[in-house]
């Protein structure tokens, strides 16, 4: 079993996510995440919004490394395993590896999480402590428990500069030496990002996973550039679940008024398990109807054991009827709920198409001059 699935194996079923469509925005390690979701029955739309980029000649990283060696830091804040590995590899390639390790041996090393701790130990060093919440802010909290006035603090950045946290160190009187072994850049395949945005706005996705804050910011920036940010935010506040691997990743969503689901443990496996649990509990609707038991799982509907897939419009209308639990839903209400503009006639046409798509058309009943309802026994 791979490491991504290790913490998500409890209760695993190959049909856990049957009928659900999930967007994946990550680039690095996306294969593991996609495979885990597909093994559980999900259809996955992969649209990486950013990619990890390293300088082709590492010139900037080498200059930052020289500054750290010359500065002989009192503290090192190590944030990511990959970043520490990239940094030491670049230093070795420039002939600075031994000098860097010698300098860091005399620094007090604090790490953001267990993976960063492992990378520090892999180069023969040890740390004095780990942040409580595995966030950069928590790591800065940890070092600021000490008097850092006049101290030199080296910070291994994780993909992008975090100005607020570096400012806290500066305000405490520390001299900050930042090293960025890798950086995030917008992904070159923006057509995929556009398709992801379309799917979010049209009701074509049940959830979207995020494993880094820059991935969130890149998606919102792309939506903003296309004039669809308000639509994306509205979708995340209603029918599409945003799933973030941790609070740092969740922060840009929260700032936009979106409340994502976040696992207690900030790990990929925990994220997968949470997505499964959430969609199974909140995304599955059931009813006993005159045509037999009905279950709606994402875009998959089952009537008396017979399954059919619904289009985004049909699914949105059918979900509204299921949520009404047998009560009548007017044409006006259905028009407001649909992911595309519908007048009264278009609602009738859409309901006709829904009935054609259902294994048994009797599930949707017409209430003359009033609207439609699920045909539950009265």
């Amino acid at each position: 079993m791979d490491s991504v699935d290790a913490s998500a194996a409890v209760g695993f079923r190959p049909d856990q996510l049957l009928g659900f469509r999930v967007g994946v925005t990550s680039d690095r390690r996306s294969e593991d995440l996609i495979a885990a979701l597909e093994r559980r029955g999900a259809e996955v739309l992969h649209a990486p919004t950013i990619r990890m980029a390293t300088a082709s000649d590492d010139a900037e990283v080498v200059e930052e490394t020289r500054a750290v060696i010359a500065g002989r830091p009192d503290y090192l804040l190590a944030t990511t395993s990959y970043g520490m590995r990239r940094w030491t590899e670049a230093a070795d390639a420039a002939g600075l590896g031994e000098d860097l390790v010698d300098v860091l041996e005399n620094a007090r090393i604090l790490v953001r999480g267990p993976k960063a701790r492992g990378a520090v130990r892999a180069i023969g060093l040890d740390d004095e402590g780990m942040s409580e919440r595995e966030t950069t802010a928590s790591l800065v909290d940890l070092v600021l428990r000490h008097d850092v006035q006049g101290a030199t603090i080296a910070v291994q950045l994780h993909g992008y500069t975090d100005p607020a946290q570096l400012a806290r160190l500066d305000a405490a009187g520390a001299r900050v030496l930042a090293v960025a072994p890798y950086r995030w850049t917008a992904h070159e395949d923006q057509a995929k990002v556009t398709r992801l945005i379309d799917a979010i706005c049209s009701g074509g996705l049940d959830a979207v996973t995020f494993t880094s804050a820059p991935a969130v910011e890149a998606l919102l920036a792309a939506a903003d550039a296309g004039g669809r940010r308000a639509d994306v935010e509205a979708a995340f506040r209603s029918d599409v679940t945003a799933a973030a691997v941790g609070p740092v990743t969740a922060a840009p969503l929260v700032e936009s008024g979106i409340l994502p689901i976040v696992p207690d443990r900030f790990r990929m496996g925990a994220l997968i398990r949470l997505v499964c649990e959430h969609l199974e509990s909140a995304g599955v609707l059931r009813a006993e109807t005159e045509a037999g038991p009905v279950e709606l799982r994402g875009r998959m509907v089952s009537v008396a054991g017979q399954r059919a897939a619904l289009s985004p419009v049909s699914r949105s209308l059918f979900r509204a009827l299921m949520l009404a639990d047998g009560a009548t839903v007017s044409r006006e209400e259905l028009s407001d709920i649909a992911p595309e503009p519908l007048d009264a006639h278009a609602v009738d046409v859409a309901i006709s198409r829904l009935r054609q798509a259902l294994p048994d058309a009797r599930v949707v009943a017409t209430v003359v001059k009033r609207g439609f309802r699920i045909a539950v026994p009265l």
Side-chain angles (χ1 to χ4, degrees):
M1 180 178 295
D2 60 57
S3 59
V4 168
D5 266 357
S7 64
V10 177
F12 166 81
R13 297 195 322 277
D15 65 345
Q16 280 178 299
L17 297 179
L18 183 65
F20 294 110
R21 195 168 186 233
V22 181
V24 171
T25 61
S26 57
D27 183 28
R28 183 169 173 263
R29 293 190 68 199
S30 59
E31 295 87 354
D32 292 340
L33 176 55
I34 292 168
L37 293 170
E38 290 180 339
R39 278 196 294 272
R40 290 157 174 80
E43 179 185 347
V44 175
L45 174 60
H46 183 212
T49 57
I50 55 170
R51 74 176 308 126
M52 187 180 293
T54 56
S56 59
D57 59 2
D58 284 329
E60 192 170 351
V61 178
V62 170
E63 286 305 307
E64 292 168 342
T65 303
R66 293 186 191 280
V68 169
I69 293 170
R72 307 194 67 82
D74 302 288
Y75 295 89
L76 166 66
L77 305 187
T79 62
T80 65
S81 171
Y82 179 77
M84 288 300 299
R85 292 199 307 272
R86 272 282 305 139
W87 185 14
T88 54
E89 287 169 2
D92 283 339
L96 300 173
E98 290 185 8
D99 291 341
L100 177 61
V101 172
D102 287 344
V103 164
L104 296 183
E105 279 181 342
N106 295 310
R108 303 177 70 176
I109 301 175
L110 304 174
V111 299
R112 196 176 68 158
K115 292 183 179 179
R117 171 174 283 169
V120 165
R121 292 179 178 177
I123 58 176
L125 302 175
D126 205 352
D127 66 272
E128 293 189 6
M130 181 167 63
S131 64
E132 295 176 357
R133 297 186 300 279
E134 297 184 38
T135 66
T136 302
S138 181
L139 182 58
V140 171
D141 289 342
L142 183 60
V143 73
L144 290 183
R145 293 176 187 172
H146 306 279
D147 181 6
V148 298
Q149 176 72 39
T152 298
I153 301 178
V155 183
Q156 175 257 309
L157 299 174
H158 56 101
Y160 70 105
T161 302
D162 193 337
Q165 301 312 319
L166 298 184
R168 291 177 63 199
L169 298 174
D170 185 68
R175 176 192 178 205
V176 179
L177 300 173
V179 180
Y182 62 95
R183 289 172 174 81
W184 298 116
T185 62
H187 201 278
E188 64 273 11
D189 194 348
Q190 287 299 297
K192 287 186 177 179
V193 179
T194 299
R195 287 196 292 272
L196 176 66
I197 291 170
D198 290 341
I200 292 170
C201 296
S202 68
L205 290 174
D206 299 284
V208 179
T209 63
F210 298 97
T211 57
S212 71
V216 178
E217 293 164 347
L219 174 66
L220 296 177
D224 198 24
R228 307 198 69 183
R229 177 159 179 158
D231 294 334
V232 167
E233 292 177 348
F236 277 131
R237 294 187 193 113
S238 54
D239 293 335
V240 183
T241 298
V245 74
V248 173
T249 300
L253 293 165
V254 175
E255 289 171 5
S256 296
I258 299 164
L259 296 180
I261 58 173
V262 181
D264 293 332
R265 296 181 67 250
F266 312 145
R267 297 287 182 272
M268 193 86 80
L271 177 66
I272 294 164
R273 182 167 56 188
L274 181 61
V275 169
C276 290
E277 292 172 350
H278 178 81
L279 291 180
E280 283 192 299
S281 62
V284 179
L285 300 176
R286 298 179 178 86
E288 288 295 331
T289 74
E290 295 173 0
V294 173
E295 180 181 82
L296 178 64
R297 297 176 56 87
R299 66 188 186 93
M300 187 73 67
V301 61
S302 171
V303 180
Q306 298 184 56
R307 291 175 177 167
L310 301 179
S311 69
V313 173
S314 292
R315 179 245 177 146
S316 67
L317 299 184
F318 192 65
R319 179 176 173 81
L321 295 173
M322 289 284 285
L323 288 170
D325 197 26
T328 300
V329 183
S330 70
R331 287 175 175 81
E332 291 77 14
E333 290 172 305
L334 292 174
S335 176
D336 290 339
I337 290 166
E340 60 186 50
L342 299 176
D343 57 22
H345 174 68
V347 169
D348 288 340
V349 172
I351 290 293
S352 176
R353 290 175 178 166
L354 168 61
R355 285 181 170 136
Q356 292 172 20
L358 292 170
D360 192 326
R362 295 176 299 165
V363 171
V364 176
T366 300
V367 182
V368 179
K369 295 184 180 181
R370 294 179 55 200
F372 306 92
R373 68 178 184 87
I374 293 292
V376 300
L378 297 177

